[in-house]
Amino acid sequence: MGWKRSERLIDMTNYFIEHPNTLISLPFFSERYGAAKSSVSEDISILKDTFERQGIGKLVTIPGAAGGVKFYVKVKDELVKPFVEELCQFIENPNRLLPGGYLYMADIIGNPVLMDQVGRMLASKFAERSIDAVMTVATKGIPLAYATAKYLNVPVVIVRRDYKITEGPTVSINYVSGSSKRIQTMLLAKRSLKEGAKVLIVDDFMKAGGTINGMISLLKEFNADYEGIAVLVEANDVENRLVDEYTSIVKLQNVDVHNETITVREGNYFTKGE
């Protein structure tokens, strides 16, 4: 006995969301539901219109014998702008101030709901690019990297600053920190990244961009390249920034330790082209 259309639509929606950036053939759904290809095509047409109208994502049909349909996460700016505004207000809480003008961000980085929303936003910007992995540096960028990779359906590659025996053979480089100008080291397991891979670099915070620039240099050792750079927070008015092209969710404009005020605005996410 075949599925009712309402049942198919619910199940297909769930399947697409759980399998982003995956080419799915029409015969797969036909066999799954015991339905004709024409019925499945009509279902997909309904979902395509609904997904785009509601800002859920984008369904792309690829013709041919080896074709099918692929779901990309796509969020509408007007639907996530309120979230970014609330995030800015959340970060502006003066209780975040730490000695030396640093900000406490662990509660944001460790909040799975917030990170999931940010990851979805970042994935939306790069969904239709050819990306094989999301790269970040341990440890604060890891939750954001996993959230982004979830919606791109690619693995996470973690760059470390110290060697762990469980990593096996590694490739290491020295790089100059953009803010402190100190020589530092980062390394990556040889097995974690394939030669020629296209990578999205993700990090929680960017000041001068030294760490991100180091990851770019590390990619060259694997004959790999980066398809984009995305950060949760960027510092404002940094001289001699080492990274030009990037996408940021929010911008830290000012930290006034004396008056205990923090000023945060939306980043370039809404003005940056895909």
Side-chain angles (χ1 to χ4, degrees):
M1 183 176 178
W3 296 40
K4 296 178 180 178
R5 167 154 285 173
S6 59
E7 294 173 330
R8 295 200 305 265
L9 292 174
I10 292 172
D11 187 74
M12 289 175 72
T13 298
N14 184 62
Y15 194 90
F16 280 129
I17 291 175
E18 289 187 346
H19 299 82
N21 289 25
T22 303
L23 184 63
I24 306 167
S25 68
L26 294 186
F28 170 81
F29 285 128
S30 294
E31 294 173 10
R32 183 180 179 93
Y33 306 128
K37 289 184 181 180
S38 58
S39 297
V40 170
S41 295
E42 291 174 3
D43 294 343
I44 290 174
S45 179
I46 293 171
L47 291 180
K48 176 181 172 66
D49 293 340
T50 304
F51 282 7
E52 293 185 7
R53 187 170 61 250
Q54 298 299 322
I56 296 172
K58 181 179 180 182
L59 283 178
V60 177
T61 302
I62 300 171
V69 61
K70 185 179 287 190
F71 169 71
Y72 297 105
V73 171
K74 287 290 181 180
V75 298
K76 290 184 176 180
D77 286 354
E78 60 266 28
L79 296 181
V80 293
K81 260 185 176 291
F83 165 78
V84 174
E85 292 172 0
E86 290 181 9
L87 183 60
C88 289
Q89 295 173 8
F90 193 39
I91 298 175
E92 286 181 334
N93 188 330
N95 291 331
R96 296 190 175 281
L97 280 172
L98 298 172
Y102 294 99
L103 299 186
Y104 179 78
M105 296 286 290
D107 61 328
I108 293 176
I109 299 298
N111 187 315
V113 175
L114 291 179
M115 287 300 97
D116 187 78
Q117 180 65 68
V118 174
R120 185 165 170 261
M121 290 174 61
L122 295 181
S124 176
K125 282 291 183 184
F126 301 95
E128 295 185 69
R129 296 195 190 184
S130 178
I131 294 175
D132 301 307
V134 172
M135 172 183 277
T136 193
V137 63
T139 56
K140 292 181 180 179
I142 293 177
L144 180 55
Y146 273 104
T148 305
K150 166 188 172 183
Y151 288 105
L152 292 174
N153 199 16
V154 297
V156 173
V157 175
I158 301 174
V159 176
R160 302 191 183 278
R161 302 184 189 277
D162 55 353
Y163 174 74
K164 292 184 180 296
I165 193 170
T166 53
E167 296 284 296
T170 61
V171 175
S172 64
I173 64 161
N174 293 324
Y175 71 99
V176 179
S177 171
S179 53
S180 64
K181 303 299 181 183
R182 294 183 301 174
I183 301 294
Q184 299 190 38
T185 301
M186 61 171 56
L187 51 88
L188 182 63
K190 286 185 176 180
R191 300 181 185 182
S192 64
L193 195 62
K194 294 181 179 180
E195 184 174 339
K198 302 295 184 181
V199 176
L200 172 63
I201 295 176
V202 171
D203 210 355
D204 65 308
F205 183 82
M206 181 179 69
K207 191 172 183 182
T211 299
I212 290 176
N213 201 44
M215 285 190 275
I216 293 174
S217 298
L218 189 56
L219 284 174
K220 294 178 182 178
E221 298 297 321
F222 288 81
N223 292 321
D225 201 2
Y226 69 98
E227 281 292 311
I229 298 168
V231 297
L232 173 60
V233 182
E234 66 161 310
N236 189 40
D237 296 332
V238 176
E239 294 184 3
N240 301 319
R241 179 166 277 160
L242 302 176
V243 177
D244 295 324
E245 292 295 323
Y246 60 90
T247 298
S248 65
I249 301 296
V250 300
K251 178 183 292 186
L252 181 62
Q253 285 199 312
N254 185 56
V255 177
D256 189 334
V257 178
H258 179 72
N259 293 310
E260 296 186 345
T261 59
I262 304 167
T263 306
V264 183
R265 297 291 182 265
E266 67 180 37
N268 65 9
Y269 178 87
F270 299 109
T271 58
K272 192 73 175 174
E274 297 178 20

